[in-house]
Amino acid sequence: MGKAKHYIAVTVLVILATLFLRFFILGPIYRLPNAASAQAVPIDIMFSAHFWLISFLFALIMVIMLYSVFVFRRKQGDDEMGPYIHGNTGLEVAWTIIPTMIVIGFGVWGAVVLNELTAPNPQEMTIRVWGQQWAWLFEYPEQEGITTPELVLPVNQPVVLEMESRDVLHSFWIPEFRVKQDLLPGRKTYLRITPTEVGDYKVRCAEICGLQHSVMLADVRVVDQSEFVAWVDERTAAPAYADLTPVERGEIWYTEFGCNACHSLDDTVQVGPSWQGIYNRQVELEDGSTVTVDDAYIRESIINPNHQIVAGFLPNLMPQDFETRMADKEAEIQSTQGTDIDIIDDIIAFMQTLE
Ligand code: CUA
């Protein structure tokens, strides 16, 4: 009876301490963001299993240790030697085999879940993702190649992201979706997501990739099917460019070529200078000289972005392929609509309106 009392007391204390740690310590500290994808479900179950196991192991060790310290402490006047214990083979075998089995079990479980989450789905829609210092670009090959700096996803539609970096390593991470994948230059990587909750989220880069790593963010909108279709229609309805003014076209190019990822229109400084009031302004360059932001300077800065960098900004951030990309677009408009357009002239006209 004497021994049984201690076993019961320790068991009860371990259970109470486990519950306390799980719900009042680990739970609040590691509160996960809302789960907003199908992939989040099995991952959250694994997180929860880990929290339970961590709480239990910590409770088991601390309760037995503290219980021994307080309950079996030396009584006043007790000068006897304690019993000499050499070892306990049964206990040692048990504490080797049981944790080994648990760790292997978690490993197998993790592998099975990873396999499920990365398995291709016949209904999945492909979206290409480009990462570059320090912006994201999304391309929808199944929606006539829409390109956009924000990621728009139809709810409950499985998507596969086909990702590649234009420079260094980046990592695509939306905490609410749980899954994460690196982007590599020159090699495609894939990430599969099925968003389940309509709402606004953010992609954040989770691989340190240079000075502006922490601001490498992009908006994510999960919308219902009809809203997605409307968004695609709006994006794919090719405007009759000849009917638009240069200013209106310039505003289209501003988002279509992703200028908006780095250049604001409201004077906030992002990766590149704001366009607000920039036209005809004097700016100081890295070498201390000044130039006027006129047509020639703007054209040169788009075609050859590293040539004259404004003081306070860094070279090699702006993609250097705008000349080809814009020429391709101009040729496409010429062949489909028979209209001659100079995209840079349009952009300059747009900039002139940004007082
Ligand atoms: Cu891209 Cu950090």
Side-chain angles (χ1 to χ4, degrees):
M1 180 58 212
K3 259 188 175 176
K5 185 184 73 182
H6 294 303
Y7 281 120
I8 292 166
V10 166
T11 307
V12 169
L13 286 171
V14 167
I15 291 170
L16 290 177
T18 303
L19 293 170
F20 175 78
L21 289 164
R22 173 66 185 91
F23 290 114
F24 294 100
I25 308 290
L26 281 185
I29 291 178
Y30 297 104
R31 195 183 295 280
L32 299 172
N34 281 346
S37 77
Q39 288 72 18
V41 176
I43 290 177
D44 282 6
I45 293 172
M46 295 188 79
F47 262 115
S48 178
H50 280 84
F51 288 166
W52 275 112
L53 192 64
I54 292 165
S55 303
F56 170 70
L57 288 175
F58 190 77
L60 185 71
I61 293 163
M62 296 311 284
V63 165
I64 293 178
M65 188 178 77
L66 294 174
Y67 190 87
S68 305
V69 165
F70 288 106
V71 177
F72 303 129
R73 72 182 182 280
R74 190 173 68 84
K75 307 284 185 312
Q76 196 101 55
D78 176 6
D79 291 332
E80 260 183 274
M81 293 291 284
Y84 180 70
I85 301 167
H86 182 71
N88 186 323
T89 311
L91 206 54
E92 284 165 24
V93 169
W95 78 43
T96 305
I97 288 180
I98 294 172
T100 305
M101 299 310 289
I102 292 174
V103 170
I104 292 174
F106 269 104
V108 171
W109 185 11
V112 168
V113 168
L114 184 65
N115 222 6
E116 278 168 19
L117 298 189
T118 52
N121 181 322
Q123 271 112 52
E124 69 197 8
M125 175 176 112
T126 302
I127 300 173
R128 289 200 192 104
V129 178
W130 293 95
Q132 65 185 84
Q133 287 169 318
W134 288 281
W136 299 96
L137 196 66
F138 306 98
E139 189 190 331
Y140 292 71
E142 293 168 28
Q143 281 77 23
E144 301 182 28
I146 299 172
T147 23
T148 144
E150 68 169 349
L151 180 60
V152 179
L153 299 170
V155 69
N156 295 326
Q157 163 71 53
V159 292
V160 55
L161 304 177
E162 195 183 291
M163 312 199 289
E164 200 171 334
S165 168
R166 288 204 162 117
D167 38 48
V168 300
L169 295 189
H170 302 280
S171 185
F172 182 97
W173 184 41
I174 300 168
E176 290 84 355
F177 295 172
R178 300 292 189 273
V179 285
K180 180 160 81 170
Q181 174 65 51
D182 278 10
L183 281 73
L184 287 73
R187 191 173 120 190
K188 287 191 174 115
T189 52
Y190 299 88
L191 187 63
R192 291 185 160 81
I193 294 171
T194 310
T196 51
E197 300 283 334
V198 169
D200 292 339
Y201 308 96
K202 279 238 187 292
V203 187
R204 47 199 79 219
C205 180
E207 186 74 66
I208 190 143
C209 56
L211 282 179
Q212 304 288 324
H213 155 73
S214 63
V215 295
M216 186 167 165
L217 304 166
D219 289 330
V220 181
R221 281 198 297 129
V222 175
V223 297
D224 50 38
Q225 276 291 345
S226 57
E227 200 178 334
F228 181 74
V229 171
W231 178 78
V232 169
D233 286 348
E234 187 191 316
R235 291 296 177 126
T236 49
Y241 291 103
D243 296 344
L244 299 175
T245 64
V247 174
E248 288 166 335
R249 290 196 301 257
E251 194 170 358
I252 294 175
W253 309 136
Y254 172 69
T255 44
E256 184 160 337
F257 284 96
C259 314
N260 55 341
C262 303
H263 300 282
S264 79
L265 300 181
D266 62 359
D267 208 30
T268 46
V269 175
Q270 296 173 333
V271 174
S274 171
W275 284 6
Q276 193 199 44
I278 199 171
Y279 188 75
N280 254 340
R281 189 198 284 166
Q282 297 270 333
V283 290
E284 193 177 327
L285 301 181
E286 278 297 311
D287 63 8
S289 62
T290 53
V291 296
T292 305
V293 183
D294 54 13
D295 294 15
Y297 176 77
I298 294 169
R299 183 170 293 274
E300 174 70 8
S301 294
I302 294 173
I303 291 174
N304 189 3
N306 281 340
H307 183 214
Q308 291 176 305
I309 298 286
V310 175
F313 295 94
L314 295 170
N316 293 318
L317 299 187
M318 182 151 151
Q320 295 177 46
D321 57 356
F322 281 124
E323 191 173 15
T324 14
R325 281 162 64 193
M326 288 172 174
D328 288 349
K329 185 75 193 183
E330 287 163 1
E332 182 200 316
I333 295 171
Q334 170 60 249
S335 71
T336 56
Q337 304 189 4
T339 312
D340 269 324
I341 278 178
D342 186 312
I343 289 175
I344 296 180
D345 280 348
D346 291 346
I347 291 174
I348 292 170
F350 175 56
M351 287 171 111
Q352 286 172 347
T353 66
L354 305 169
E355 294 303 329

